[in-house]
Amino acid sequence: MQDIAPELLEKIKAAFEKETAELKKTIENGVRSYEEAYGHAIAAGEALAKSFRNNITAEVLPDGMMYYNIADRVVRPMLKEEYNLVSEAAVLAQASANKSAKIGLNPQKADFDEDRAYGIVNRVSSQPYDEIKWILDEPVKSFSKSVVDQTIQTNIDFQGKSGLSPKIVRTPTAGACAWCLAVAGTYSYPNVPSDVYRRHANCDCIVEYVNAGKIQNVHSKKIYSSKAERDAAVQERIARAQERIEKLASRRIAKMPPDEYARAKELWYTVKELDLPQKEKEYVFEEFDNNLTAEEKESAVVNRPIGNYYYRAVNLGHNQYKIYAKDMIDRPQDVVDEVLSEMFGSNWRELLDE
């Protein structure tokens, strides 16, 4: 069998370099803020996703599968290319921030996230490509943005260990979920949980770091000159977030039958969440976000086959899910019948005879 990986990698790399040619020139001319770096990360992520999309199809892959040995030699190197480009922008942004705050420390480069890269490579090789190709879209864009966030985290940790006194503040907005409420608070470096930097879909929590008299929002990258200015901006953002939450809630209730929504709320607070690795949860949530049908989104409970497992979760709306069951797909036929019948709402075998 012909080894398609070298030629495929060459095509994708050429496409990515063409897509990011102007971006590279812009970065080389300097990056003045994290806001600019974040914009460059978005552009790089979109460029790589497009390069994958335009050059990888099920037809060019053996048996329509991107086997692990192909993904490891095609996807991983391109994630490294993406990382190198975005990391350069983020380091330049940190250099500008240090200079502005008169901090005499060299900017630190974040490490390449091997675990996250492995997760993408492993996931894209787990199913027929047409069923799993979405992994090379939004997750690739998220990977790009995470390089900037990790650069911020790396430099704040470095500053704390160097004798400075940076702090991180995570403020939940009105209507925040239980997970966001659990990680909200003020943390002094280096004792900052990694979850403080994370956010789920549609999360409006405010995450900022404070140092040298300046306050910067980790996600918007805006710098405030005083606590009073920061507090005013926080209150304004909370008000906007509350208005948005109310609008989303009214849309959700209008679509989801009242009894189904009531069932979802009851289940949310009664079922025990399944303890899964964070990376696995992120992939399952992305699958739900991208592939649930309109009918499934209006249901209090969703079931989805992903890889070798069936995942069951409570659906509270707003892209909020609580996974409570995970079962192997390869199992006795009577269990398969039970799961499929539950998904279809009746004996699925009878449907075949109709």
Side-chain angles (χ1 to χ4, degrees):
M1 181 181 295
Q2 181 183 1
D3 184 3
I4 67 168
E7 183 179 355
L8 189 57
L9 173 61
E10 185 177 343
K11 288 181 178 179
I12 296 170
K13 187 175 182 179
F16 181 68
E17 290 178 349
K18 182 179 180 180
E19 289 288 334
T20 58
E22 291 301 319
L23 177 60
K24 289 179 179 178
K25 293 179 182 179
T26 301
I27 293 173
E28 289 171 358
N29 289 332
V31 181
R32 295 170 296 179
S33 67
Y34 270 117
E35 184 176 5
E36 288 186 12
Y38 196 72
H40 297 332
I42 292 173
E46 291 176 346
L48 183 54
K50 181 179 179 180
S51 299
F52 282 142
R53 185 169 58 251
N54 290 347
N55 290 279
I56 305 177
T57 63
E59 288 72 26
V60 304
L61 299 172
D63 306 318
M65 291 281 295
M66 179 175 280
Y67 292 109
Y68 185 88
N69 69 321
I70 299 175
D72 191 47
R73 292 182 294 144
V74 173
V75 176
R76 186 190 298 276
M78 291 311 303
L79 291 175
K80 194 66 179 289
E81 292 285 333
E82 179 184 43
Y83 157 80
N84 287 335
L85 182 60
V86 177
S87 184
E88 180 183 354
V91 168
L92 289 174
Q94 183 64 46
S96 297
N98 287 356
K99 182 177 180 181
S100 177
K102 297 181 180 180
I103 297 174
L105 296 173
N106 291 326
Q108 302 298 300
K109 184 176 182 179
D111 293 334
F112 179 71
D113 194 337
E114 292 285 358
D115 289 341
R116 199 179 186 108
Y118 170 78
I120 293 175
V121 170
N122 188 57
R123 191 73 179 84
V124 78
S125 60
S126 66
Q127 295 176 233
Y129 185 70
D130 278 342
E131 297 178 9
I132 199 64
K133 60 185 178 183
W134 59 268
I135 283 291
L136 298 185
D137 188 50
E138 287 302 326
V140 167
K141 297 174 185 177
S142 296
F143 184 91
S144 184
K145 290 181 284 187
S146 74
V147 175
V148 179
D149 293 332
Q150 289 168 0
T151 301
I152 294 172
Q153 183 176 5
T154 297
N155 280 275
I156 293 301
D157 287 340
F158 178 68
Q159 290 179 13
K161 294 174 182 177
S162 298
L164 300 179
S165 303
K167 292 184 178 181
I168 195 83
V169 181
R170 180 169 180 133
T171 307
T173 57
C177 67
W179 184 85
C180 286
L181 291 174
V183 297
T186 300
Y187 303 87
S188 297
Y189 280 86
N191 301 313
V192 183
S194 59
D195 279 351
V196 172
Y197 292 97
R198 294 174 178 161
R199 62 174 63 236
H200 57 75
N202 296 323
C203 175
D204 287 304
C205 293
I206 297 109
V207 183
E208 299 152 307
Y209 73 81
V210 184
N211 193 23
K214 295 183 181 293
I215 304 171
Q216 184 171 28
N217 184 297
V218 170
H219 296 281
S220 72
K221 314 304 184 254
K222 178 177 176 58
I223 295 179
Y224 305 102
S225 60
S226 68
K227 183 179 184 298
E229 182 184 356
R230 190 281 306 271
D231 289 345
V234 167
Q235 292 304 316
E236 180 182 357
R237 183 176 173 87
I238 288 175
R240 291 200 307 268
Q242 180 61 39
E243 181 180 357
R244 177 169 174 268
I245 288 169
E246 291 173 356
K247 288 181 179 179
L248 286 172
S250 64
R251 292 174 192 167
R252 175 186 62 192
I253 294 172
K255 290 183 178 180
M256 184 181 286
D259 58 340
E260 192 71 5
Y261 180 52
R263 179 184 172 219
K265 289 199 296 183
E266 181 180 359
L267 288 171
W268 187 269
Y269 293 109
T270 56
V271 303
K272 183 178 180 181
E273 185 172 18
L274 193 64
D275 186 18
L276 296 174
Q278 183 63 31
K279 300 294 184 183
E280 183 177 357
K281 288 174 63 175
E282 290 174 0
Y283 283 128
V284 173
F285 290 161
E286 286 172 342
E287 171 74 14
F288 287 163
D289 290 343
N290 288 290
N291 293 294
L292 290 180
T293 65
E295 183 178 356
E296 286 175 318
K297 290 179 180 179
E298 296 170 12
S299 175
V301 176
V302 294
N303 300 278
R304 174 65 53 168
I306 304 174
N308 296 322
Y309 298 92
Y310 268 106
Y311 292 87
R312 301 184 192 183
V314 179
N315 172 28
L316 195 61
H318 299 322
N319 299 101
Q320 295 185 73
Y321 310 102
K322 178 181 284 188
I323 302 169
Y324 66 87
K326 170 187 174 183
D327 299 309
M328 284 287 294
I329 292 177
D330 183 18
R331 55 198 169 180
Q333 188 59 48
D334 59 339
V335 180
V336 175
D337 289 344
E338 178 185 347
V339 173
L340 291 176
S341 294
E342 181 178 335
M343 292 178 64
F344 288 108
S346 62
N347 189 324
W348 75 280
R349 292 186 175 277
E350 292 179 358
L351 296 177
L352 299 178
D353 298 331
E354 295 179 355

